[in-house]
Amino acid sequence: MWRLIVGFFAVVGFLAVLSVAGVMLVVGGLRQSVTPLPGNILLTADLTRELPEGSSEEPLLRLLVGNKPTLRDFLDAIETAGDDPRVKGVIARVGDDENGLAKVQEVRDAIAAFRSKGKFALAFADSFGEFGPGTRPYYLATAFDEIWLQPLGNVGLTGLYADSPFLRGTLDLLGIVPEFDHREEFKTAMNLLTETKMTPAHREEVEALLTSVAGQIVRGIAQGRKLSETEVRGLIDRGPLLGAEAVQAKLVDRLGYRDEVLGHARARAGSGAELMSLANYLDRAGHPHREGSTIALIYGTGLVVRSGNGGANPVTGSNEMAATEMTRAFRAAVRDSAVRAILFRIDSPGGSAVASESIWREVVFAREIGTNAAMFSPTADFSDFAHSRLEAFLDETYKGFKDHVATGRHMTQEEVEAVAKGRVWSGEDAKARGLVDELGGYAVALRLAKQAANLPPDAPITLTVFPREETLPELIYNRLTGKEREDGSVTSGAIERSLKAVQPLLQRLETLLDTPGVLTMPRIGGPK
């Protein structure tokens, strides 16, 4: 009887899983029929939302919540449209401060390249930072040849600032003594807990960053709006500016509403212009870099951690760069005979030193602690021995970091020490000190990748993301049954995990049902 019951529920569960999988396959297989593109196209884009680096959600999650446009999607669409005579221009909604400065600069470069091919680009904002900062989104808008602002909107061009809270005084009142250690004066992450104000090194680092970044923004705005840098700095000191003041100061071309902007853009595009979103255009026109020699594209996004699946957390929105996933991606790319070069796209605040070294080793390969268990407890002091081990760890980590930098950048130890010490440099300042070779985004990186692969600058390429994305059927099958990894290990599937979870309960119930009147104690640790 018991086996009949178990068998019945097993069949029901299996059929339910198959039903869900079948529905997902049917939905995933539904695609709009591709219709010819119109002869006169006006593209639309929404740049008020964050543009993630790459596809961060798993296919099943994308199936449920829909695709989120990525930075790569935007760049591909703009690049394709630049060479498409049917596309006359683009109108983009801007104004919200959702993207970091590096992404803003890459979008600006893409818009500049688009305009250089005889296209027009128009930016519209209801406001640049209503009662909030608007410097970065306005900087983005100055890449367009026209800027429109809603009449009651304002230009929150107020410059840059940085603040840093310090909790040491509060901790002192609570009798809590934070105990940290670090190497060199510019490593300031722990200052939040160990200091009551900025140290001189902390202030020097922040001010240098702000000076460099602010200088880049001022130069970009001056060039885009045909003003002098002195004029731009003066306008920043006057900000935020009301709409009419912004027009008078030549920061904005016109005041108007969305329908007026669209009407003006249609007139510029010519008779019969049809509006089309960048995403729709890309789906129908096709992505670039789908033929030719293969260059591997590996995304390294988020906090560096040692293990895990990496990617985005759908609840918090945070990302992790798991060393296990990164190493698999590099190994797969290295083993693929079609891959001519590897483009490693990094957007990370840092993280685990060990995980970083694991990834570093794969990059190099592609080119060629009983007694101290509680030493990292947040509630216990370091013992003398534990502290000595921490000191040794920091010494070794810092030395290893400098050695790797010196080797990779062809610098002496003294030259590395002069620019290291935990200090953060802007990209511009880093290039001036030999820490990076070039400034730019995908376009520059692809040019360098072609050079590394000994390909002509105009050679067609196939840009392939590693590790390769699973198709929906593969994803469903692997999630249900498990997947053999390249190192020989096997991930457990949903079916296996579910069976393992219920096995102890099923075994106990089987014992009770098959032995009437007998009550047995389970073994410690569960039935064997």
Side-chain angles (χ1 to χ4, degrees):
M1 179 64 180
W2 162 245
R3 289 182 176 82
L4 180 61
I5 295 174
V6 172
F8 171 75
F9 282 108
V11 171
V12 171
F14 183 68
L15 290 176
V17 170
L18 284 182
S19 299
V20 173
V23 170
M24 290 181 174
L25 286 173
V26 171
V27 175
L30 295 177
R31 298 187 182 277
Q32 294 180 344
S33 59
V34 178
T35 57
L37 287 167
N40 189 354
I41 301 172
L42 176 59
L43 294 177
T44 62
D46 185 357
L47 295 178
T48 63
R49 299 188 297 176
E50 180 190 11
L51 292 172
E53 270 296 329
S55 181
S56 54
E57 294 92 2
E58 292 187 344
L60 284 177
L61 184 60
R62 293 203 302 270
L63 185 63
L64 295 175
V65 302
N67 284 325
K68 186 176 183 180
T70 66
L71 176 62
R72 183 71 254 167
D73 291 335
F74 174 85
L75 298 177
D76 280 353
I78 287 294
E79 179 181 347
T80 301
D83 296 321
D84 189 341
R86 295 167 296 193
V87 177
K88 301 304 187 296
V90 61
I91 175 172
R93 184 168 176 261
V94 297
D96 291 346
D97 196 16
E98 292 295 324
N99 291 292
L101 183 62
K103 288 182 182 177
V104 166
Q105 290 180 326
E106 190 149 13
V107 171
R108 292 181 89 254
D109 289 343
I111 294 297
F114 178 79
R115 291 177 56 193
S116 71
K117 296 178 179 179
K119 319 286 185 175
F120 72 85
L122 193 155
F124 168 69
D126 48 21
S127 186
F128 290 102
E130 184 178 22
F131 301 110
T135 298
R136 196 158 50 189
Y138 178 74
Y139 173 52
L140 169 60
T142 58
F144 294 73
D145 54 275
E146 275 192 70
I147 301 177
W148 284 62
L149 179 67
Q150 196 163 301
L152 283 183
N154 62 74
V155 178
L157 186 61
T158 55
L160 304 178
Y161 77 99
D163 58 14
S164 180
F166 296 97
L167 303 179
R168 179 59 189 270
T170 302
L171 296 179
D172 287 344
L173 293 175
L174 296 173
I176 299 174
V177 180
E179 189 174 355
F180 294 94
D181 216 329
H182 60 98
R183 285 296 172 270
E184 302 299 345
E185 65 271 27
F186 292 105
K187 202 65 176 176
T188 57
M190 75 298 297
N191 288 8
L192 166 71
L193 301 175
T194 62
E195 306 293 333
T196 58
K197 61 181 181 180
M198 282 189 175
T199 63
H202 192 169
R203 182 172 294 278
E204 178 186 343
E205 177 182 47
V206 172
E207 289 182 348
L209 277 171
L210 288 176
T211 298
S212 176
V213 171
Q216 296 172 50
I217 290 176
V218 167
R219 286 196 298 275
I221 293 175
Q223 293 168 3
R225 302 305 299 173
K226 297 180 174 55
L227 298 169
S228 70
E229 292 185 25
T230 300
E231 289 176 306
V232 173
R233 294 184 187 277
L235 291 170
I236 290 175
D237 290 339
R238 287 174 50 196
L241 301 176
L242 302 177
E245 294 173 331
V247 172
Q248 186 177 13
K250 299 181 180 179
L251 294 177
V252 170
D253 294 292
R254 303 190 189 189
L255 301 181
Y257 297 96
R258 183 176 182 275
D259 59 297
E260 295 175 305
V261 178
L262 289 175
H264 175 75
R266 286 181 185 274
R268 287 192 64 176
S271 176
E274 294 188 31
L275 292 177
M276 182 177 296
S277 70
L278 277 180
N280 189 13
Y281 172 77
L282 189 61
D283 284 341
R284 295 169 64 177
H287 288 257
H289 312 309
R290 291 297 174 90
E291 60 181 16
S293 302
T294 298
I295 292 178
L297 173 59
I298 299 176
Y299 289 106
T301 305
L303 185 70
V304 182
V305 296
R306 288 186 293 169
S307 61
N309 293 324
N313 183 322
V315 177
T316 64
S318 61
N319 283 277
E320 287 186 346
M321 188 199 312
T324 50
E325 290 298 303
M326 291 293 100
T327 55
R328 290 190 192 106
F330 272 97
R331 290 171 187 171
V334 168
R335 284 199 300 268
D336 193 324
S337 59
V339 172
R340 300 284 298 274
I342 298 175
L343 174 57
F344 189 21
R345 179 83 176 184
I346 305 173
D347 183 3
S348 171
S352 165
V354 173
S356 298
E357 186 180 42
S358 297
I359 299 171
W360 171 86
R361 181 67 186 91
E362 294 301 325
V363 175
V364 171
F365 181 74
R367 296 165 54 193
E368 288 207 276
I369 170 163
T371 59
N372 292 303
M375 68 174 290
F376 294 111
S377 168
T379 60
D381 291 337
F382 284 116
S383 65
D384 290 340
F385 179 77
H387 195 271
S388 70
R389 298 311 302 157
L390 175 63
E391 293 279 311
F393 169 77
L394 291 173
D395 285 334
E396 185 67 17
T397 300
Y398 187 54
K399 179 180 181 300
F401 162 75
K402 292 197 296 181
D403 289 343
H404 295 333
V405 172
T407 301
R409 302 306 303 166
H410 307 292
M411 300 169 70
T412 66
Q413 290 287 336
E414 292 73 21
E415 290 173 329
V416 174
E417 179 67 18
V419 296
K421 302 182 180 180
R423 182 160 183 167
V424 178
W425 299 101
S426 69
E428 185 179 59
D429 289 343
K431 185 174 186 297
R433 288 160 177 79
L435 295 176
V436 298
D437 297 298
E438 297 279 357
L439 299 179
Y442 271 104
V444 175
L446 285 175
R447 172 172 58 80
L448 296 174
K450 286 183 179 180
Q451 292 177 6
N454 295 318
L455 296 172
D458 58 349
I461 61 166
T462 300
L463 198 58
T464 303
V465 176
F466 281 79
R468 296 182 186 275
E469 289 190 355
E470 298 171 328
T471 64
L472 192 58
E474 289 174 337
L475 180 73
I476 294 172
Y477 179 80
N478 291 332
R479 288 295 184 272
L480 294 177
T481 63
K483 176 183 178 182
E484 183 176 355
R485 289 173 170 164
E486 293 152 357
D487 59 6
S489 62
V490 178
T491 60
S492 58
I495 295 176
E496 182 184 353
R497 291 195 301 270
S498 299
L499 289 176
K500 286 182 177 179
V502 300
Q503 274 178 350
L505 175 61
L506 295 179
Q507 290 175 8
R508 293 177 190 177
L509 288 175
E510 185 177 32
T511 300
L512 292 174
L513 291 172
D514 286 350
T515 316
V518 177
L519 181 61
T520 60
M521 289 291 291
R523 293 188 181 94
I524 300 300
K528 301 297 183 183

